[in-house]
Amino acid sequence: MKLLTVNFLTCAVKACKTSTLSFPLHFQDAELEQREVEYNPTFLHNILPRLEWDAISTTAAELGFTNLPSSKPNGNPQAEEDHRVMRDLHTLLLETEVMEGRMVCGNCGHEYKIKEGIANFLLPNHLV
C-alpha cells in the first residue's frame, strides 16, 4: 500500500463519519518496503494541492520520516529547498509501501489490517 493512498482514507465505521479524529488513520507495527519509482515532478506538482499536509506530516513522523517541513511547499521547481522537499515527498508517497501492519482510527480505535501490501477495509456487520 503506497503512502499516497493513506492521504485519501478515513475510518469507514459509521460512527466516525463526523469525527475529525478518524483522519488520518495511524500506522502501527508497519513493515515498510522501498521500491524505486522514476521521479515525476509533474505528477507531484499536480497532486500537491490535493494533499492534506497535516495528515501527511503526521503519517511521515509516525513512520520515522522526519525531513518533511511543517508547511506545504509551493512546488516551485526553481527553488532549491522546494526541489529537495519534492524529492523527499516523492520518496515518501510513491516509493514507500506498507507491506504489513495495521491502520488504526484515532476516534473509535478500529484496526484495519494490512497484509502483503493490501489493507482490509471490510467491516463486521455491527460496525456498518
Side-chain angles (χ1 to χ4, degrees):
M1 164 183 233
K2 291 198 183 290
L3 289 182
L4 175 63
T5 309
V6 177
N7 192 72
F8 303 104
L9 297 176
T10 186
C11 184
V13 174
K14 189 175 186 178
C16 292
K17 295 293 180 195
T18 58
S19 174
T20 57
L21 296 174
S22 64
F23 177 81
L25 297 173
H26 304 278
F27 286 102
Q28 290 185 350
D29 303 324
E31 293 179 21
L32 304 178
E33 189 173 292
Q34 294 287 129
R35 294 187 185 180
E36 192 171 320
V37 175
E38 184 178 341
Y39 181 63
N40 186 341
T42 304
F43 174 78
L44 286 173
H45 181 72
N46 289 335
I47 197 73
L48 195 59
R50 294 172 180 86
L51 295 178
E52 178 62 45
W53 193 257
D54 290 339
I56 291 289
S57 297
T58 299
T59 300
E62 289 174 352
L63 295 175
F65 290 87
T66 57
N67 48 349
L68 287 184
S70 58
S71 60
K72 188 186 289 190
N74 296 327
N76 179 359
Q78 307 306 329
E80 182 70 28
E81 181 65 18
D82 272 4
H83 180 71
R84 184 190 59 74
V85 171
M86 295 300 271
R87 280 286 194 181
D88 290 344
L89 199 55
H90 167 82
T91 299
L92 176 69
L93 298 178
L94 300 174
E95 293 185 341
T96 306
E97 296 185 41
V98 179
M99 299 307 293
E100 304 287 333
R102 301 183 314 264
M103 290 184 294
V104 180
C105 175
N107 184 54
C108 70
H110 185 74
E111 296 182 356
Y112 300 93
K113 291 187 180 1
I114 303 168
K115 185 171 181 163
E116 296 178 10
I118 300 171
N120 182 354
F121 277 92
L122 296 176
L123 294 174
N125 288 337
H126 71 280
L127 293 176
V128 177

